[in-house]
Amino acid sequence: MTSTKDSSGADRPLTIAQLAELAGVSTATVSKVVNGRSEVAPETRTLVEGLIREHGYRRQKRRVSPAALVELVFHALEGDYPIEIIKGVEQVAREHHLAVVLSELQHRHTPGKGWIEGVLSRRPTGVIAVFSGLTDGQRDQLATRDIPLVLLDPTGDPGHLVPSVGAGNWSGGLSATRHLLQLGHRRIAIITGPDYALSSRARLDGYRTALDTAGVPVDPALIRRGDFLVEGGLAQAKHLLRLPDPPTAIFACNDGQAVGVYQAAHELGLRIPDDLSVVGFDDLPPTRWAVPPLTTIRQPLTEMAVTAANMLVKLAQGEPLPQSRIELGTELVVRSSTAPL
């Protein structure tokens, strides 16, 4: 097997020619993989990427400096959630003379075909993926080209290999439900987010814990799976409010779904908070102007974005991170959509 060693006898990264010899392909093919070109068979790409992970890649030319860009990837660009994220990333980007490039995945949670080729051709300073993730192959392609990646509000468990920033979702679910319990509510419903979202599962676990601690049985009929969209909140709230024994309070696991709950209550002739108390999650700017203003759990989205962007800059500068996973606290913001039973 081809290998190179330094003066101490330790293995050194391989050149394109040496990788090509190991893979049994041409140097042109390895070069295409290294530079993110698309016209390589998937099996060959996987083989070459695996060899690069195992042996490393020694660049034969002076390393090309990255572009002064931050690649910011969203699963969807809808509502106020992405605006709060963009504000935080822009703040850090300005400080470091970086521009921000936005990518939208059209509600997918991993980038589709062609995305990685575009990123590699732009050679950004780094990538921040918001409420989304990358495939193992896409992460490997970024890593082999020294393009750092940070996950923001990840949908799944990021582990310790990829730096990430999240919020206290479990404690937020606990606080929202405890607030309603303290107001005397016992028929408390929850509209979750999708099952694949770790944040949704954590908020539901906090809800269950609050009820269990208070000695209130969890009624499965009061747990409805949502999708973090207004339309989903509307549909699920209508189902809940038409039950023979409907809830007196609803915890919607994001502010968008809470808007849907407001609309459902209006259509069914119910008054908030007189007939129904509502709690959201996020504390996006419009919630304070809802009628009545929404009680919600503040998720510090802009601060989360600032933290993620600062982590990215440190990684791009070759500095180690003191921790790979950062979780910022959430807090209850009481307004006028909740009242004693």
Side-chain angles (χ1 to χ4, degrees):
M1 177 179 288
T2 300
S3 64
T4 59
K5 294 182 180 292
D6 59 21
S7 58
S8 67
D11 287 331
R12 292 185 297 171
L14 303 184
T15 64
I16 283 181
Q18 291 164 334
L19 288 166
E21 181 182 343
L22 278 177
V25 299
S26 68
T27 56
T29 296
V30 175
S31 179
K32 289 177 182 178
V33 174
V34 166
N35 290 292
R37 301 276 293 278
S38 59
E39 59 270 24
V40 179
E43 299 82 2
T44 303
R45 181 183 298 280
T46 299
L47 173 61
V48 174
E49 291 283 359
L51 290 171
I52 292 173
R53 287 197 303 274
E54 181 180 355
H55 299 283
Y57 161 54
R58 186 169 84 245
R59 301 177 189 276
Q60 294 169 283
K61 298 180 180 179
R62 184 171 59 86
R63 184 180 184 274
V64 177
S65 298
L69 302 172
V70 174
E71 190 92 17
L72 185 56
V73 185
F74 289 95
H75 79 293
L77 284 169
E78 296 178 356
D80 292 275
Y81 173 97
I83 293 175
E84 297 302 302
I85 299 292
I86 293 167
K87 282 163 52 178
V89 173
E90 280 278 8
Q91 177 182 322
V92 176
R94 283 195 304 272
E95 293 172 3
H96 295 276
H97 309 291
L98 299 170
V100 179
V101 175
L102 301 182
S103 295
E104 201 255 11
L105 304 181
Q106 298 178 329
H107 292 282
R108 294 192 305 268
H109 291 278
T110 55
K113 184 179 179 180
W115 176 84
I116 190 68
E117 287 81 3
V119 173
L120 296 180
S121 68
R122 286 189 288 274
R123 293 185 178 273
T125 296
V127 176
I128 299 175
V130 184
F131 199 61
S132 57
L134 274 60
T135 66
D136 291 342
Q138 290 165 343
R139 289 201 300 268
D140 289 342
Q141 286 180 276
L142 292 179
T144 56
R145 291 153 189 84
D146 301 321
I147 299 174
L149 167 67
V150 177
L151 302 181
L152 176 54
D153 196 10
T155 54
D157 182 5
H160 297 289
L161 296 178
V162 181
S164 62
V165 180
N169 291 295
W170 180 86
S171 60
L174 183 78
S175 296
T177 311
R178 277 186 173 170
H179 170 65
L180 294 168
L181 288 165
Q182 289 166 357
L183 292 173
H185 296 276
R186 293 299 179 266
R187 294 285 293 169
I188 302 172
I190 182 171
I191 302 174
T192 72
D195 287 342
Y196 61 74
L198 189 65
S199 58
S200 172
R201 290 176 176 268
R203 293 168 197 178
L204 174 59
D205 286 344
Y207 161 87
R208 291 180 183 274
T209 300
L211 292 178
D212 182 64
T213 303
V216 177
V218 175
D219 184 349
L222 298 182
I223 299 176
R224 301 293 298 178
R225 186 176 70 180
D227 53 12
F228 284 156
L229 300 176
V230 174
E231 295 83 359
L234 172 61
Q236 298 297 352
K238 282 184 175 180
H239 175 92
L240 289 165
L241 296 173
R242 286 169 174 159
L243 289 173
D245 187 9
T248 62
I250 296 178
F251 168 34
C253 282
N254 78 335
D255 289 345
Q257 291 183 144
V259 171
V261 175
Y262 270 46
Q263 181 62 26
H266 172 73
E267 291 181 14
L268 295 175
L270 300 175
R271 297 169 299 167
I272 299 173
D274 302 50
D275 304 314
L276 178 71
S277 286
V278 182
V279 178
F281 199 112
D282 281 332
D283 193 28
L284 296 173
T287 58
R288 69 196 67 177
W289 305 113
V291 181
L294 178 67
T295 294
T296 189
I297 299 296
R298 181 176 185 270
Q299 179 175 214
L301 293 172
T302 301
E303 293 91 333
M304 290 162 61
V306 167
T307 301
N310 280 323
M311 292 171 72
L312 194 75
V313 169
K314 282 183 177 293
L315 290 169
Q317 294 173 344
E319 299 179 27
L321 298 177
Q323 58 191 108
S324 62
R325 167 70 177 172
I326 295 178
E327 184 175 286
L328 301 187
T330 53
E331 62 177 312
L332 176 69
V333 179
V334 179
R335 297 195 180 100
S336 306
S337 66
T338 52
L341 182 62

